[in-house]
Amino acid sequence: MSQTVFCRKYQQELDALPFPPLPGKKGQEIQASVSRRAWEEWQALQTRLINEKHLNMLEPSSREYLMEQMERFFDNRETDQAEGYVPPSS
């Protein structure tokens, strides 16, 4: 049986991440409060933002920008979107 976590994005018990997705305290915090589903959705948005905005992940400002967007995403606040992106219809 997989472990669950009370996801701060979806406000319900969902499957937990199997390991911290980032090093250190921040990774442990995310593992304890973000579901696998929310993390996978964040990764998709993060990829679109990096590609669309041509972010250089070697630059501290790009990493800070993504961390801010990540926090906004998990807290259900408005995030930047990749311009021209149309989500697939279900």
Side-chain angles (χ1 to χ4, degrees):
M1 182 174 200
S2 64
Q3 293 197 339
T4 61
V5 65
F6 187 79
C7 181
R8 72 189 234 206
K9 177 159 183 67
Y10 292 107
Q11 296 296 300
Q12 59 182 315
E13 287 285 328
L14 294 168
D15 287 342
L17 291 165
F19 52 85
L22 299 173
K25 184 178 178 184
K26 188 63 176 173
Q28 292 172 350
E29 176 187 313
I30 290 170
Q31 184 185 27
S33 64
V34 173
S35 67
R36 180 187 305 233
R37 173 182 165 196
W39 181 255
E40 289 172 356
E41 290 174 4
W42 160 247
Q43 285 184 307
L45 175 58
Q46 173 181 253
T47 300
R48 290 191 302 273
L49 291 174
I50 290 170
N51 291 337
E52 177 70 26
K53 298 187 178 296
H54 306 288
L55 299 178
N56 178 351
M57 298 316 298
L58 297 176
E59 294 179 8
S61 60
S62 292
R63 293 192 304 271
E64 289 172 15
Y65 166 78
L66 280 179
M67 290 301 283
E68 177 186 330
Q69 292 301 307
M70 179 182 72
E71 291 297 326
R72 296 178 68 80
F73 178 79
F74 292 140
D75 290 339
N76 289 311
R77 294 184 286 153
E78 188 174 331
T79 60
D80 290 347
Q81 296 295 316
E83 296 171 22
Y85 174 73
V86 178
S89 58
S90 35

